[in-house]
Amino acid sequence: MSLSTAGYLARRAAQKERVRILYRRALKDSLNWAVHRHIFYQDASDLRERFEANKHVEDLDTIDHLIADAEAQYGKWRHPDPYIVPWAPGGSKFTRNPPPPRGVEILHDYGKEEND
Amino acid sequence: MAASLRPAILRHIRIPVQPLGRHVLPSWLGSIRLMSGHGDDHLDRAEVVDRVLDVIKSFPKVDPSKVTPEVHFQNDLGLDSLDVVEIVMALEEEFKLEIPDKEADKIDSCPLAIEYIANHPMAG
């Protein structure tokens, strides 16, 4: 009995994590699709409603099925060119103009003393 | 005719040049974060706490009077897991961060969020 309870709880926890990460990705993706903030607000609340609609589903297999379904939908509607924070991998500033290594100093007044 | 008129007109409309202090930056420049910052100007911890609390307080489902730096999102504020996802995303936008999904999933309370952001080299 306790083993099956532990198994149930583990499966529930895994499902909850999957849903959280799916919601996070979907929310970010709706921000990618939305051109303006007010459009995003509407999209986000629609997305939230779609998650809330299945809030009280109890059956584990049904939940798995719903999550797989939603993940497939997310995969289908993913934005081809999402916004990436500039310094992050894939961003426009990624590894550009890195800071000089420690102990290296840049002389901004190089050669000035001879001319003065 | 035109040759003599030209300097006369130019002298008339000349704008007086005032010397500027060359190395004195205007005071408003101090508050601007330059584009080429490499994150070597770390955020102050107190500032991080302030801004994190501001973000959480402005979340519509949160009672602002309950928000303290030690608050746990689900246990103390009565939020559910999807609300926490939204708060973490709001924090990401506030500090211009990109938190990997697995790490963002672990941020479930105010101290953890402050710790993560204060230690992040790119938080701005």
Side-chain angles (χ1 to χ4, degrees), chain B residues 38-92:
Chain B
H38 287 299
D40 34 321
D41 37 8
H42 277 297
L43 282 182
D44 208 22
R45 198 185 169 84
E47 195 196 332
V48 171
V49 174
D50 269 358
R51 283 165 65 187
V52 167
L53 291 189
D54 273 350
V55 169
I56 298 171
K57 277 175 193 165
S58 59
F59 194 71
K61 294 175 192 170
V62 166
D63 176 10
S65 60
K66 283 188 193 165
V67 177
T68 62
E70 272 78 44
V71 85
H72 187 281
F73 297 148
Q74 296 196 42
N75 298 347
D76 302 333
L77 294 179
L79 301 174
D80 64 17
S81 54
L82 297 189
D83 292 328
V84 176
V85 171
E86 286 173 18
I87 284 195
V88 173
M89 193 172 149
L91 286 173
E92 265 184 290

Short mmCIF file of all heavy atoms in Angstrom, two decimals, chain B residues 38-92:
data_model
loop_
_atom_site.label_atom_id
_atom_site.label_comp_id
_atom_site.label_asym_id
_atom_site.label_seq_id
_atom_site.Cartn_x
_atom_site.Cartn_y
_atom_site.Cartn_z
N HIS B 38 29.27 44.87 -18.86
CA HIS B 38 29.57 43.44 -18.86
C HIS B 38 29.12 42.79 -17.58
O HIS B 38 29.55 41.71 -17.26
CB HIS B 38 31.07 43.22 -19.04
CG HIS B 38 31.51 43.49 -20.43
ND1 HIS B 38 31.03 42.78 -21.49
CD2 HIS B 38 32.36 44.40 -20.94
CE1 HIS B 38 31.58 43.24 -22.60
NE2 HIS B 38 32.38 44.22 -22.30
N GLY B 39 28.31 43.47 -16.85
CA GLY B 39 27.88 42.89 -15.60
C GLY B 39 28.90 43.07 -14.50
O GLY B 39 28.77 42.47 -13.45
N ASP B 40 29.96 43.87 -14.75
CA ASP B 40 30.90 44.08 -13.67
C ASP B 40 30.35 45.10 -12.68
O ASP B 40 30.87 45.22 -11.58
CB ASP B 40 32.28 44.50 -14.18
CG ASP B 40 32.17 45.35 -15.43
OD1 ASP B 40 31.31 45.04 -16.25
OD2 ASP B 40 32.95 46.29 -15.59
N ASP B 41 29.33 45.82 -13.08
CA ASP B 41 28.68 46.68 -12.12
C ASP B 41 27.52 45.90 -11.49
O ASP B 41 26.40 45.92 -11.99
CB ASP B 41 28.20 47.97 -12.77
CG ASP B 41 27.68 47.74 -14.18
OD1 ASP B 41 27.55 46.57 -14.58
OD2 ASP B 41 27.39 48.72 -14.85
N HIS B 42 27.84 45.19 -10.43
CA HIS B 42 26.85 44.32 -9.83
C HIS B 42 25.74 45.12 -9.17
O HIS B 42 25.97 46.23 -8.69
CB HIS B 42 27.51 43.43 -8.77
CG HIS B 42 28.14 42.23 -9.37
ND1 HIS B 42 27.41 41.28 -10.05
CD2 HIS B 42 29.43 41.84 -9.43
CE1 HIS B 42 28.24 40.36 -10.48
NE2 HIS B 42 29.47 40.66 -10.13
N LEU B 43 24.60 44.51 -9.14
CA LEU B 43 23.48 45.15 -8.46
C LEU B 43 23.69 45.09 -6.96
O LEU B 43 24.20 44.10 -6.43
CB LEU B 43 22.18 44.44 -8.80
CG LEU B 43 21.57 44.75 -10.16
CD1 LEU B 43 20.28 44.01 -10.30
CD2 LEU B 43 21.34 46.23 -10.29
N ASP B 44 23.26 46.15 -6.33
CA ASP B 44 23.28 46.20 -4.88
C ASP B 44 22.25 45.21 -4.33
O ASP B 44 21.17 45.07 -4.90
CB ASP B 44 22.90 47.62 -4.46
CG ASP B 44 23.51 47.98 -3.15
OD1 ASP B 44 24.52 47.34 -2.82
OD2 ASP B 44 23.00 48.89 -2.49
N ARG B 45 22.60 44.51 -3.25
CA ARG B 45 21.65 43.52 -2.72
C ARG B 45 20.35 44.18 -2.24
O ARG B 45 19.25 43.67 -2.46
CB ARG B 45 22.30 42.74 -1.58
CG ARG B 45 21.55 41.46 -1.32
CD ARG B 45 22.10 40.73 -0.14
NE ARG B 45 21.19 39.67 0.23
CZ ARG B 45 21.18 38.47 -0.34
NH1 ARG B 45 22.05 38.19 -1.28
NH2 ARG B 45 20.32 37.57 0.01
N ALA B 46 20.51 45.37 -1.62
CA ALA B 46 19.32 46.07 -1.12
C ALA B 46 18.41 46.45 -2.28
O ALA B 46 17.17 46.35 -2.19
CB ALA B 46 19.74 47.31 -0.34
N GLU B 47 19.03 46.84 -3.40
CA GLU B 47 18.23 47.21 -4.57
C GLU B 47 17.49 46.00 -5.12
O GLU B 47 16.32 46.10 -5.52
CB GLU B 47 19.16 47.82 -5.63
CG GLU B 47 18.43 48.56 -6.73
CD GLU B 47 19.30 48.80 -7.94
OE1 GLU B 47 20.53 48.89 -7.78
OE2 GLU B 47 18.73 48.88 -9.04
N VAL B 48 18.20 44.85 -5.14
CA VAL B 48 17.56 43.63 -5.62
C VAL B 48 16.35 43.31 -4.76
O VAL B 48 15.25 43.02 -5.28
CB VAL B 48 18.56 42.45 -5.59
CG1 VAL B 48 17.84 41.14 -5.88
CG2 VAL B 48 19.65 42.67 -6.61
N VAL B 49 16.52 43.38 -3.43
CA VAL B 49 15.39 43.08 -2.53
C VAL B 49 14.23 44.02 -2.81
O VAL B 49 13.08 43.58 -2.96
CB VAL B 49 15.86 43.21 -1.06
CG1 VAL B 49 14.67 43.06 -0.13
CG2 VAL B 49 16.90 42.17 -0.74
N ASP B 50 14.53 45.31 -2.95
CA ASP B 50 13.48 46.29 -3.22
C ASP B 50 12.70 45.96 -4.47
O ASP B 50 11.47 45.94 -4.48
CB ASP B 50 14.11 47.68 -3.39
CG ASP B 50 14.17 48.42 -2.08
OD1 ASP B 50 13.69 47.84 -1.09
OD2 ASP B 50 14.70 49.54 -2.06
N ARG B 51 13.45 45.69 -5.54
CA ARG B 51 12.77 45.49 -6.82
C ARG B 51 12.01 44.17 -6.84
O ARG B 51 10.93 44.10 -7.43
CB ARG B 51 13.79 45.56 -7.96
CG ARG B 51 14.17 47.00 -8.27
CD ARG B 51 15.41 47.11 -9.11
NE ARG B 51 15.23 46.56 -10.44
CZ ARG B 51 16.22 46.42 -11.31
NH1 ARG B 51 17.44 46.80 -10.98
NH2 ARG B 51 16.00 45.92 -12.50
N VAL B 52 12.57 43.12 -6.21
CA VAL B 52 11.85 41.85 -6.14
C VAL B 52 10.53 42.05 -5.40
O VAL B 52 9.47 41.60 -5.84
CB VAL B 52 12.72 40.78 -5.46
CG1 VAL B 52 11.88 39.57 -5.11
CG2 VAL B 52 13.84 40.35 -6.38
N LEU B 53 10.60 42.75 -4.27
CA LEU B 53 9.37 42.96 -3.49
C LEU B 53 8.37 43.78 -4.28
O LEU B 53 7.16 43.52 -4.23
CB LEU B 53 9.70 43.66 -2.17
CG LEU B 53 10.48 42.81 -1.16
CD1 LEU B 53 10.54 43.52 0.17
CD2 LEU B 53 9.85 41.45 -0.99
N ASP B 54 8.86 44.78 -5.04
CA ASP B 54 7.95 45.58 -5.85
C ASP B 54 7.21 44.72 -6.86
O ASP B 54 6.00 44.87 -7.06
CB ASP B 54 8.73 46.68 -6.59
CG ASP B 54 8.87 47.92 -5.75
OD1 ASP B 54 8.19 47.97 -4.70
OD2 ASP B 54 9.64 48.82 -6.12
N VAL B 55 7.97 43.82 -7.52
CA VAL B 55 7.35 42.96 -8.53
C VAL B 55 6.28 42.09 -7.88
O VAL B 55 5.17 41.95 -8.41
CB VAL B 55 8.42 42.09 -9.22
CG1 VAL B 55 7.77 41.02 -10.05
CG2 VAL B 55 9.31 42.94 -10.09
N ILE B 56 6.61 41.50 -6.73
CA ILE B 56 5.64 40.59 -6.10
C ILE B 56 4.41 41.36 -5.63
O ILE B 56 3.29 40.90 -5.77
CB ILE B 56 6.31 39.85 -4.93
CG1 ILE B 56 7.47 39.00 -5.47
CG2 ILE B 56 5.32 38.96 -4.22
CD1 ILE B 56 8.32 38.41 -4.40
N LYS B 57 4.65 42.58 -5.09
CA LYS B 57 3.51 43.36 -4.60
C LYS B 57 2.59 43.76 -5.73
O LYS B 57 1.38 43.91 -5.52
CB LYS B 57 4.03 44.62 -3.90
CG LYS B 57 4.42 44.37 -2.46
CD LYS B 57 5.02 45.62 -1.87
CE LYS B 57 5.70 45.31 -0.57
NZ LYS B 57 6.59 46.41 -0.15
N SER B 58 3.14 43.96 -6.92
CA SER B 58 2.27 44.40 -8.01
C SER B 58 1.57 43.24 -8.70
O SER B 58 0.81 43.47 -9.63
CB SER B 58 3.09 45.20 -9.03
OG SER B 58 4.13 44.40 -9.54
N PHE B 59 1.82 42.03 -8.24
CA PHE B 59 1.08 40.89 -8.80
C PHE B 59 -0.36 40.95 -8.32
O PHE B 59 -0.62 41.08 -7.12
CB PHE B 59 1.75 39.58 -8.35
CG PHE B 59 1.28 38.38 -9.12
CD1 PHE B 59 1.66 38.23 -10.43
CD2 PHE B 59 0.49 37.42 -8.53
CE1 PHE B 59 1.24 37.13 -11.16
CE2 PHE B 59 0.06 36.32 -9.24
CZ PHE B 59 0.44 36.17 -10.56
N PRO B 60 -1.34 40.88 -9.24
CA PRO B 60 -2.72 41.18 -8.86
C PRO B 60 -3.30 40.30 -7.76
O PRO B 60 -4.15 40.76 -6.99
CB PRO B 60 -3.50 40.99 -10.17
CG PRO B 60 -2.56 40.58 -11.20
CD PRO B 60 -1.18 40.68 -10.69
N LYS B 61 -2.86 39.03 -7.66
CA LYS B 61 -3.48 38.15 -6.67
C LYS B 61 -2.82 38.23 -5.30
O LYS B 61 -3.18 37.47 -4.41
CB LYS B 61 -3.43 36.71 -7.16
CG LYS B 61 -4.27 36.49 -8.39
CD LYS B 61 -4.13 35.09 -8.93
CE LYS B 61 -4.76 34.99 -10.31
NZ LYS B 61 -4.42 33.73 -10.96
N VAL B 62 -1.86 39.11 -5.15
CA VAL B 62 -1.10 39.16 -3.90
C VAL B 62 -1.57 40.33 -3.06
O VAL B 62 -1.80 41.43 -3.57
CB VAL B 62 0.40 39.27 -4.21
CG1 VAL B 62 1.17 39.66 -2.97
CG2 VAL B 62 0.91 37.97 -4.77
N ASP B 63 -1.73 40.09 -1.77
CA ASP B 63 -2.02 41.17 -0.84
C ASP B 63 -0.70 41.86 -0.48
O ASP B 63 0.15 41.23 0.17
CB ASP B 63 -2.68 40.58 0.40
CG ASP B 63 -2.93 41.63 1.46
OD1 ASP B 63 -2.77 42.83 1.13
OD2 ASP B 63 -3.29 41.26 2.58
N PRO B 64 -0.49 43.11 -0.91
CA PRO B 64 0.83 43.75 -0.74
C PRO B 64 1.29 43.83 0.71
O PRO B 64 2.50 43.85 0.97
CB PRO B 64 0.62 45.15 -1.33
CG PRO B 64 -0.58 45.05 -2.18
CD PRO B 64 -1.44 43.98 -1.61
N SER B 65 0.34 43.85 1.65
CA SER B 65 0.76 44.02 3.05
C SER B 65 1.42 42.76 3.59
O SER B 65 2.12 42.79 4.60
CB SER B 65 -0.44 44.39 3.91
OG SER B 65 -1.39 43.35 3.83
N LYS B 66 1.21 41.61 2.92
CA LYS B 66 1.78 40.37 3.42
C LYS B 66 3.19 40.12 2.91
O LYS B 66 3.84 39.17 3.33
CB LYS B 66 0.90 39.20 2.97
CG LYS B 66 -0.38 39.02 3.75
CD LYS B 66 -1.01 37.70 3.30
CE LYS B 66 -2.44 37.57 3.77
NZ LYS B 66 -3.11 36.48 3.03
N VAL B 67 3.64 40.94 1.95
CA VAL B 67 4.90 40.63 1.29
C VAL B 67 6.08 41.09 2.12
O VAL B 67 6.19 42.26 2.48
CB VAL B 67 4.95 41.31 -0.10
CG1 VAL B 67 6.28 41.04 -0.76
CG2 VAL B 67 3.82 40.79 -0.96
N THR B 68 6.94 40.15 2.48
CA THR B 68 8.19 40.45 3.18
C THR B 68 9.31 39.70 2.46
O THR B 68 9.03 38.82 1.64
CB THR B 68 8.14 39.95 4.64
OG1 THR B 68 7.97 38.54 4.62
CG2 THR B 68 7.01 40.59 5.42
N PRO B 69 10.57 40.02 2.76
CA PRO B 69 11.66 39.30 2.07
C PRO B 69 11.73 37.82 2.41
O PRO B 69 12.43 37.07 1.74
CB PRO B 69 12.92 40.02 2.57
CG PRO B 69 12.46 41.37 2.95
CD PRO B 69 11.07 41.20 3.46
N GLU B 70 11.01 37.35 3.44
CA GLU B 70 11.10 35.93 3.80
C GLU B 70 9.89 35.13 3.32
O GLU B 70 9.73 33.98 3.72
CB GLU B 70 11.21 35.77 5.33
CG GLU B 70 12.63 35.82 5.81
CD GLU B 70 13.14 37.25 5.86
OE1 GLU B 70 12.38 38.11 6.35
OE2 GLU B 70 14.27 37.50 5.39
N VAL B 71 9.06 35.73 2.50
CA VAL B 71 7.77 35.11 2.21
C VAL B 71 7.92 33.92 1.25
O VAL B 71 8.80 33.91 0.38
CB VAL B 71 6.83 36.20 1.65
CG1 VAL B 71 7.03 36.36 0.17
CG2 VAL B 71 5.40 35.92 2.00
N HIS B 72 7.09 32.90 1.47
CA HIS B 72 7.04 31.76 0.55
C HIS B 72 5.78 31.91 -0.31
O HIS B 72 4.70 32.15 0.22
CB HIS B 72 6.99 30.45 1.34
CG HIS B 72 7.11 29.23 0.47
ND1 HIS B 72 6.06 28.72 -0.24
CD2 HIS B 72 8.17 28.42 0.20
CE1 HIS B 72 6.46 27.65 -0.91
NE2 HIS B 72 7.74 27.45 -0.67
N PHE B 73 5.95 31.77 -1.63
CA PHE B 73 4.85 32.14 -2.52
C PHE B 73 3.59 31.32 -2.28
O PHE B 73 2.50 31.86 -2.19
CB PHE B 73 5.29 31.99 -3.98
CG PHE B 73 6.41 32.88 -4.38
CD1 PHE B 73 7.33 32.47 -5.32
CD2 PHE B 73 6.55 34.13 -3.82
CE1 PHE B 73 8.38 33.30 -5.69
CE2 PHE B 73 7.59 34.96 -4.17
CZ PHE B 73 8.52 34.54 -5.12
N GLN B 74 3.75 30.00 -2.18
CA GLN B 74 2.54 29.18 -2.08
C GLN B 74 2.04 29.08 -0.66
O GLN B 74 0.83 29.13 -0.42
CB GLN B 74 2.82 27.78 -2.63
CG GLN B 74 3.15 27.82 -4.11
CD GLN B 74 3.05 26.45 -4.75
OE1 GLN B 74 2.12 25.70 -4.48
NE2 GLN B 74 3.99 26.14 -5.61
N ASN B 75 2.95 28.92 0.32
CA ASN B 75 2.50 28.71 1.69
C ASN B 75 1.97 29.99 2.32
O ASN B 75 0.98 29.97 3.05
CB ASN B 75 3.65 28.17 2.54
CG ASN B 75 4.12 26.83 2.01
OD1 ASN B 75 3.45 26.21 1.20
ND2 ASN B 75 5.29 26.39 2.45
N ASP B 76 2.65 31.12 2.06
CA ASP B 76 2.30 32.35 2.77
C ASP B 76 1.38 33.26 1.99
O ASP B 76 0.57 33.98 2.57
CB ASP B 76 3.58 33.12 3.12
CG ASP B 76 4.52 32.28 3.95
OD1 ASP B 76 4.02 31.38 4.65
OD2 ASP B 76 5.74 32.51 3.90
N LEU B 77 1.50 33.25 0.68
CA LEU B 77 0.70 34.19 -0.11
C LEU B 77 -0.53 33.54 -0.71
O LEU B 77 -1.34 34.21 -1.34
CB LEU B 77 1.56 34.79 -1.23
CG LEU B 77 2.70 35.68 -0.74
CD1 LEU B 77 3.49 36.20 -1.92
CD2 LEU B 77 2.18 36.84 0.07
N GLY B 78 -0.66 32.22 -0.56
CA GLY B 78 -1.85 31.56 -1.08
C GLY B 78 -1.92 31.51 -2.59
O GLY B 78 -3.01 31.51 -3.16
N LEU B 79 -0.79 31.47 -3.24
CA LEU B 79 -0.79 31.37 -4.70
C LEU B 79 -0.72 29.90 -5.11
O LEU B 79 -0.33 29.05 -4.32
CB LEU B 79 0.42 32.10 -5.27
CG LEU B 79 0.50 33.58 -4.93
CD1 LEU B 79 1.80 34.15 -5.43
CD2 LEU B 79 -0.66 34.32 -5.55
N ASP B 80 -1.08 29.60 -6.36
CA ASP B 80 -0.89 28.23 -6.83
C ASP B 80 0.34 28.17 -7.72
O ASP B 80 1.01 29.18 -7.97
CB ASP B 80 -2.15 27.68 -7.49
CG ASP B 80 -2.52 28.44 -8.73
OD1 ASP B 80 -1.67 29.16 -9.25
OD2 ASP B 80 -3.67 28.33 -9.17
N SER B 81 0.65 26.95 -8.21
CA SER B 81 1.94 26.77 -8.87
C SER B 81 2.03 27.59 -10.16
O SER B 81 3.12 28.06 -10.53
CB SER B 81 2.17 25.30 -9.16
OG SER B 81 1.08 24.77 -9.88
N LEU B 82 0.91 27.78 -10.86
CA LEU B 82 0.97 28.55 -12.10
C LEU B 82 1.21 30.03 -11.82
O LEU B 82 1.88 30.72 -12.59
CB LEU B 82 -0.32 28.36 -12.90
CG LEU B 82 -0.61 26.94 -13.37
CD1 LEU B 82 -1.78 26.92 -14.33
CD2 LEU B 82 0.58 26.31 -14.03
N ASP B 83 0.66 30.52 -10.69
CA ASP B 83 0.94 31.91 -10.30
C ASP B 83 2.43 32.11 -10.05
O ASP B 83 3.00 33.14 -10.40
CB ASP B 83 0.17 32.27 -9.03
CG ASP B 83 -1.33 32.32 -9.26
OD1 ASP B 83 -1.72 32.67 -10.38
OD2 ASP B 83 -2.08 32.00 -8.33
N VAL B 84 3.04 31.09 -9.43
CA VAL B 84 4.48 31.20 -9.16
C VAL B 84 5.25 31.28 -10.47
O VAL B 84 6.20 32.07 -10.61
CB VAL B 84 4.95 29.99 -8.31
CG1 VAL B 84 6.43 30.05 -8.12
CG2 VAL B 84 4.24 29.99 -6.99
N VAL B 85 4.83 30.48 -11.46
CA VAL B 85 5.46 30.56 -12.77
C VAL B 85 5.37 31.98 -13.32
O VAL B 85 6.34 32.54 -13.84
CB VAL B 85 4.81 29.55 -13.74
CG1 VAL B 85 5.31 29.78 -15.15
CG2 VAL B 85 5.10 28.13 -13.31
N GLU B 86 4.19 32.60 -13.16
CA GLU B 86 4.01 33.95 -13.68
C GLU B 86 4.90 34.94 -12.93
O GLU B 86 5.48 35.85 -13.55
CB GLU B 86 2.54 34.35 -13.56
CG GLU B 86 1.67 33.65 -14.58
CD GLU B 86 0.19 33.92 -14.37
OE1 GLU B 86 -0.16 34.88 -13.66
OE2 GLU B 86 -0.63 33.14 -14.90
N ILE B 87 5.01 34.78 -11.62
CA ILE B 87 5.85 35.70 -10.84
C ILE B 87 7.30 35.58 -11.27
O ILE B 87 8.00 36.58 -11.48
CB ILE B 87 5.72 35.41 -9.33
CG1 ILE B 87 4.39 35.96 -8.83
CG2 ILE B 87 6.87 36.04 -8.56
CD1 ILE B 87 4.30 36.05 -7.34
N VAL B 88 7.77 34.33 -11.45
CA VAL B 88 9.17 34.15 -11.86
C VAL B 88 9.41 34.78 -13.23
O VAL B 88 10.44 35.39 -13.48
CB VAL B 88 9.54 32.66 -11.84
CG1 VAL B 88 10.92 32.45 -12.42
CG2 VAL B 88 9.51 32.12 -10.43
N MET B 89 8.41 34.67 -14.10
CA MET B 89 8.58 35.28 -15.41
C MET B 89 8.61 36.80 -15.30
O MET B 89 9.39 37.46 -15.99
CB MET B 89 7.44 34.85 -16.33
CG MET B 89 7.71 35.18 -17.77
SD MET B 89 6.48 34.47 -18.84
CE MET B 89 6.45 35.69 -20.14
N ALA B 90 7.79 37.35 -14.41
CA ALA B 90 7.81 38.80 -14.20
C ALA B 90 9.17 39.24 -13.65
O ALA B 90 9.70 40.28 -14.06
CB ALA B 90 6.70 39.21 -13.24
N LEU B 91 9.74 38.42 -12.76
CA LEU B 91 11.06 38.75 -12.22
C LEU B 91 12.12 38.71 -13.33
O LEU B 91 13.00 39.56 -13.40
CB LEU B 91 11.44 37.77 -11.12
CG LEU B 91 10.72 37.97 -9.80
CD1 LEU B 91 11.06 36.83 -8.85
CD2 LEU B 91 11.10 39.30 -9.18
N GLU B 92 12.00 37.72 -14.20
CA GLU B 92 12.93 37.62 -15.32
C GLU B 92 12.88 38.88 -16.17
O GLU B 92 13.90 39.39 -16.62
CB GLU B 92 12.55 36.44 -16.20
CG GLU B 92 13.27 35.16 -15.92
CD GLU B 92 12.87 34.11 -16.92
OE1 GLU B 92 11.72 33.66 -16.85
OE2 GLU B 92 13.69 33.77 -17.77
#
